Structure formats: C-alpha cells, structure tokens
Amino acid sequence: MKSLQKQVVTAALLLFCAGLGASEPSFVRIEDPVAQAMESAADGHLAEALAVLEKEAKGSPDDAEAWADVAGLWAALGDRYQSARALWRQAEAMLVANADARAGRAEARVPLTKAVTIARELGARPLLGELRELAG
C-alpha cells in the first residue's frame, strides 16, 4: 500500500508543480514543456496507482471503498466514463455489502446519482441502462 500512496502523492505533487506556471487552475492548456512533462509523469503515476486499485477492487468486488478510490483516480485522470463505471461498481458493492436492503439503497444513492449524472452528460446510453437496472 505504501507504493500506491507514493504514486498518488508523487502525481499530486507533479500536478501542483505543473500548475504553478499555469494562468488557470485547469491543467488542460499548459504551454511550458517542463510543466507538460510533469503533467505527463503525474498521469503515469496515477495510471500505475489506478492499476493497483482496480486489481484490488476486482479481487473483492464487494469492497465499495476500493471502487470509490478507483472512481476518484479515473476522475483525476480526466476519464469521466471510467469514473462513472467505477461509481456504478461502488453502488453495487454497497448494495451487496449491506444486509439491510433499505440502508444499502440509501448508501448507494450517492455514487449511483453521480454515475447517472456523468452518463447522461456523456450520452452513454448502455451505461445508463445498467445504472437504471441497478436502481431498480
């Protein structure tokens, strides 16, 4: 787990440093080659951390916290579709893990709502269908 934490912290520091020269908070239009290299390295560290998290989450599909971490890293990498898919898996895990169906649904509402919002914005109809099925 220390390796994972190191990857995430390194990525955050690289993104912070890359953003110091940016005129806007978004890292989308960084012109400085050094800042671009830092952003690219940060993406690499996040991708490595993501691979570890996804493997962990798939190994225990009822681990809602692991899926939440995966969703957060996909969002950090700017992939909203993959983030929504991980939120879907998080909601599924919450439903499975909670013995009380009503409590499970209440808990799963937040990631499910976020996933639906993203899927609608992206026009991801197949994902919306899966989310509707989960919502029942």
Side-chain angles (χ1 to χ4, degrees):
M1 195 57 136
K2 287 187 180 200
S3 173
L4 175 63
Q5 291 170 339
K6 180 180 175 186
Q7 295 297 332
V8 174
V9 169
T10 302
L13 287 171
L14 287 165
L15 287 173
F16 175 77
C17 291
L20 289 178
S23 60
E24 55 192 59
S26 171
F27 298 116
V28 174
R29 296 185 182 193
I30 296 175
E31 305 275 333
D32 178 17
V34 173
Q36 286 176 343
M38 292 173 109
E39 184 180 22
S40 178
D43 284 351
H45 285 283
L46 286 174
E48 191 171 322
L50 179 64
V52 170
L53 282 174
E54 279 198 331
K55 184 177 180 183
E56 177 183 306
K58 288 176 182 174
S60 51
D62 59 341
D63 187 349
E65 189 175 319
W67 284 113
D69 291 343
V70 170
L73 278 178
W74 274 121
L77 287 169
D79 193 327
R80 297 178 69 223
Y81 179 78
Q82 292 299 334
S83 179
R85 288 188 72 236
L87 288 166
W88 165 35
R89 298 297 182 202
Q90 178 188 5
E92 280 184 327
M94 289 173 164
L95 291 171
V96 170
N98 203 320
D100 179 5
R102 175 176 258 162
R105 286 200 175 283
E107 188 179 25
R109 186 174 295 125
V110 172
L112 188 58
T113 302
K114 287 179 185 177
V116 167
T117 300
I118 294 168
R120 281 186 182 149
E121 289 171 357
L122 297 175
R125 289 188 180 118
L127 179 56
L128 273 172
E130 294 290 345
L131 294 168
R132 285 187 185 115
E133 186 177 321
L134 181 62

